[in-house]
Each structure stands twice: as structure tokens, then as C-alpha cells.
Amino acid sequence: MMTKTIVSVVGARPNFMKVGPIERQFKNCSNINHMIVHTGQHYDDLMSGVFFDELGLPKPARHLGVGSGRHGEMTGKIMIEFEKVCLDIKPDLVIVVGDVNSTIAAALVARKLFIPVAHVEAGLRSFDETMPEEWNRRLTDCLSNLLYVSEPVGMKNLEREGIPIKSALLVGDVMLETLSLFLPGIQKRRRWVDFNLNPKNYILVTIHRPSNVDERDDLELVIEILEALPGKVVFPIHPRTRNRLDEFGLSDRIKRMRNLVLVEPQSYIDFLSLLEGCSIILSDSGSVQAEASFFDVPCLVCRENTERPIYCEQGSCRLVGRDLQIIKLSVQEALDGNFPKSTDYVKNLGKDVAKKITESIQDFLK
Ligand code: UD1
């Protein structure tokens, strides 16, 4: 095979971990020139730079410097800039990952330039049309030539939508492959020591979804939940959440909570160390559901639905919304050691994912 140029597009925090194992595989292929293009959707060092360093990712070949903005503005800016990059680099294939605005923007540009698109984490659906990511998922799958699915239900979702199933492959969850690769470093880190905490003696919280933080009433409910949690609570705060707390005048209320350890967004290793060490995690994140299940840490998912049902069915996750009663009961159940444990199937979903993806891509490009 002649040398092929493949561009992987990243933009927001959860994208970086998904590209890591793919980059590792391609590094060993002499006939593949793999480049990373960063849209700049996330730009703070703590949301982007530290992940490149820790994951050992090469410097992006191009940085589009798009920054924050409303959905249309951000998606549009990425498209304008990424189109120029594609016309210049002329990639043989573009890889997009996950469901953020950078994912759909890059997929649409590439497909219209007749560049094949591969989507990693295809087929996931929350069936919640108020989630911006749900549109990104559906439309990206619709545009993709190759669809790499992370859990069995994804294949069914694609079939139901009439997407040619022969272009879809169930490969597993690449996020868990990254976790396995970095496990020794994570287990050595003991990040809780930096906050004077003891392992299995604190609750970890991450909350950043627009549905939980963008309206004052919703965010107040979240704060009430935090106030009701027993013992120490570690809360690495996402910039969106921090901004909303400031905007709604709620920052002081949070700072007054004596049980709360409020910290900056954590690096990859630091966060996973905190996750492994906590007794319970309360989160509205998508990928944390997989990571918590890997460690068998009880995960209360502060959402009404999930695009990753396997981690509630066979992992250590439960949908709890913002229902204080259910949360209190679930916390007790977890502290009593009665929370459901993950199956071996779930714990092994991260095996050889990138190998399957990169072999399939090379086959496609032959
Ligand atoms: C985005 C993704 C979401 C993902 C999340 C992970 C979309 C639609 N959403 O949400 O799926 O779970 O990333 O973090 O793509 N900001 C900073 N510094 C940064 C980045 C953002 O301060 O480096 C602030 C800005 O005020 C910005 C806000 O955070 O307006 C939201 O950022 P944005 O990328 O729009 O969405 P996220 O909530 O991060």
C-alpha cells in the first residue's frame, strides 16, 4: 500500500483519550502518515494541553484556534478552518471521535470533499433531543463511511436508522483501552493525598452538562444534592459550571460548604486516581460511566438517560437524575457495599480496540 495520510480530529477534553491508542497503533505502521488536528474547542491548559503531555500525544499538526462560542458559531468556524486544512493536506481519510461539536463539524467538511470518514464511538444514542451531543452523534454516523461501535446496542441503533450495517464494526470502548494503558501510573498517583483525604473515604463529583448547570433552578438543585452528601466531597469544577455559578451568584454558597474540596479540572492521571480512590462518584459525564465501571466504583449518573446503557445494565452505574431521595438511598447502598458490580464483559470492553480500528481502516484504504 502506498503511504496514506490520515487525519484524526480532536477538540474537546474527552477526545484526547480516544485518539491516544489509535495514534500508538499508527505510529508503528510505516505506510501511514497519521496527523492530529486540534480544533481548539477546548483551549485552557487544564482542559487540553496537560492531556497531550500526559497521554504522550504528538503536537497537533494543525491547530484551528476556534475557541468557545454558541453552537452554530463554533461548528461553523471549525468547518471553515478545517476545510482549508483538508484542501491543503488532502488526507486519504479523516477520523472523528465521540460526539462534540468538533466531531460533527469535521465529519461534514470531510464527507463533502469526498474524503472518507471513520467515526469512533458510533451508534450511541441517548434518545434525548435536548442534548446537543445527540444531534452530533446521529448526524456524524449518517456521514461516516466506517463506524466503530463501542457497545452492542450501538449496532442495533445504527440498523434502526438504516445506516448500512456492513460499514459498522463492534470494537469496544477505546476510552477503556486508554485507561488500561495508563493503569500503572494511575495506581501509583494517589492524588487524594494532595487533598489530605483517605482512600474510599470521599465522594467524587463532576457536573458540567447544560441540563444541570445552564438554568439557575437546576444548578440550585445540584447544589442541594452536594449539600446532602455525607463526608468529604471532591469537586473538580468544569469551566462551564464555574462560569454559571458566578453568573447566578451561587459561588459563595458553594465555597461555604465545609465538606467540599473544590478543585480545578484535573489532569487525566490525577482524575482517574481520584476516581479509583473514591467511595462513590456522582457525575453527569458520559465516559466516566465507563471508567467508574472499570474500577467497580459506584457511579450515580446525574442524568435522566444515557447513551451508554451497558454501564448501567452491566457496570456499576445507576441513573439517578437530580432526585434527592434516590441519591440518598443509592449513596447508602453504595456505602453499605451493596451496589451492583461490573461484569467481566464490561471490564474487558477496552481490549485491542485501537488495533481493530486501525486494521479495519488499513483494509479499507487498500
Ligand atoms: C463539551 C462537549 C461535551 C463534553 C464536554 C467535555 C459539545 C456540544 N459539548 O462541552 O459533550 O462532555 O465538552 O468537557 O461539544 N471553557 C473554558 N475553557 C476551555 C473550554 C471551555 O473556559 O478550555 C468554557 C467556556 O466558557 C465555554 C464553556 O466552557 O463557553 C463551554 O465549553 P464548550 O466547549 O462549549 O462545551 P462544554 O460544556 O465544555
Side-chain angles (χ1 to χ4, degrees):
M1 185 169 88
M2 267 170 53
T3 299
K4 303 282 184 183
T5 298
I6 297 178
V7 163
S8 284
V9 180
V10 294
R13 184 169 62 178
N15 293 161
F16 310 130
M17 306 73 154
K18 292 171 193 166
V19 164
I22 295 172
E23 156 67 19
R24 251 171 205 250
Q25 287 291 328
F26 279 145
K27 217 164 43 191
N28 300 326
C29 302
S30 54
N31 55 355
I32 298 287
N33 174 21
H34 183 233
M35 295 181 183
I36 294 180
V37 170
H38 193 323
T39 66
Q41 176 174 350
H42 285 176
Y43 41 86
D44 287 346
D45 195 43
L46 289 177
M47 297 296 287
S48 173
V50 290
F51 293 90
F52 273 77
D53 295 344
E54 276 192 358
L55 298 166
L57 289 172
K59 208 171 153 281
R62 301 289 172 90
H63 197 292
L64 309 183
V66 164
S68 299
R70 298 187 58 79
H71 285 277
E73 182 189 7
M74 185 196 289
T75 312
K77 275 191 193 161
I78 297 170
M79 289 182 67
I80 292 169
E81 296 308 317
F82 188 58
E83 186 172 58
K84 292 179 199 160
V85 169
C86 284
L87 291 172
D88 181 27
I89 296 179
K90 299 188 177 53
D92 295 290
L93 182 128
V94 167
I95 299 177
V96 295
V97 297
D99 56 13
V100 301
N101 287 344
S102 303
T103 313
I104 172 64
L108 185 52
V109 165
R111 193 65 204 245
K112 286 195 171 178
L113 290 172
F114 307 106
I115 302 165
V117 177
H119 184 204
V120 175
E121 232 178 58
L124 295 182
R125 299 289 181 269
S126 66
F127 303 102
D128 178 351
E129 298 191 351
T130 66
M131 258 186 117
E133 293 85 357
E134 184 69 359
W135 294 106
N136 294 344
R137 294 181 197 115
R138 282 197 210 171
L139 297 172
T140 303
D141 285 343
C142 196
L143 291 163
S144 297
N145 306 72
L146 298 169
L147 299 108
Y148 298 114
V149 175
S150 53
E151 59 177 275
V153 74
M155 300 297 276
K156 286 197 194 128
N157 291 337
L158 293 176
E159 206 170 357
R160 187 175 334 96
E161 288 172 22
I163 291 171
I165 211 67
K166 62 177 190 327
S167 51
L169 192 63
L170 179 61
V171 292
D173 195 332
V174 75
M175 209 75 179
L176 292 184
E177 179 163 20
T178 308
L179 177 41
S180 305
L181 287 169
F182 287 90
L183 195 56
I186 292 163
Q187 290 179 325
K188 255 198 263 143
R189 184 65 183 88
R190 299 168 57 81
R191 176 66 165 153
W192 55 84
V193 173
D194 301 334
F195 305 122
N196 292 320
L197 296 167
N198 293 315
K200 299 298 160 192
N201 216 356
Y202 62 91
I203 296 180
L204 183 62
V205 173
T206 79
I207 297 285
H208 76 283
R209 294 254 160 247
S211 59
N212 277 327
V213 307
D214 278 4
E215 298 292 333
R216 191 195 164 97
D217 290 352
D218 297 331
L219 189 51
E220 275 191 309
L221 278 177
V222 169
I223 296 178
E224 278 166 35
I225 291 167
L226 299 187
E227 287 168 341
L229 293 177
K232 288 280 182 199
V233 175
V234 181
F235 186 12
I237 193 155
H238 187 283
R240 173 188 287 277
T241 310
R242 189 190 55 219
N243 293 344
R244 294 294 179 262
L245 286 166
D246 286 346
E247 198 181 311
F248 300 143
L250 293 167
S251 300
D252 285 344
R253 182 165 162 197
I254 279 270
K255 284 180 194 143
R256 276 198 303 272
M257 288 169 56
R258 312 219 24 206
N259 65 330
L260 198 70
V261 185
L262 204 57
V263 297
E264 296 280 286
Q266 298 292 293
S267 74
Y268 181 67
I269 305 277
D270 285 352
F271 180 74
L272 284 163
S273 164
L274 283 175
L275 175 61
E276 194 196 10
C278 73
S279 54
I280 299 170
I281 180 162
L282 184 84
S283 176
D284 59 8
S285 156
S287 26
V288 161
Q289 295 167 45
E291 293 163 338
S293 296
F294 181 90
F295 287 126
D296 254 333
V297 166
C299 176
L300 313 189
V301 183
C302 264
R303 293 172 49 179
E304 302 297 332
N305 46 59
T306 177
E307 61 287 340
R308 294 168 165 81
I310 198 154
Y311 299 110
C312 285
E313 288 157 9
Q314 292 197 40
S316 58
C317 299
R318 176 179 297 160
L319 290 176
V320 296
R322 286 184 299 258
D323 187 321
L324 196 52
Q325 262 333 93
I326 295 183
I327 292 173
K328 281 183 177 169
L329 288 171
S330 300
V331 165
Q332 201 47 55
E333 194 181 330
L335 293 178
D336 291 343
N338 295 329
F339 218 73
K341 296 257 183 281
S342 303
T343 61
D344 285 346
Y345 179 75
V346 156
K347 289 192 175 177
N348 287 314
L349 265 177
K351 286 253 156 71
D352 296 329
V353 182
K355 187 164 180 274
K356 291 176 213 159
I357 292 172
T358 52
E359 283 176 3
S360 149
I361 288 176
Q362 282 181 295
D363 247 16
F364 176 85
L365 290 176
K366 257 183 204 155

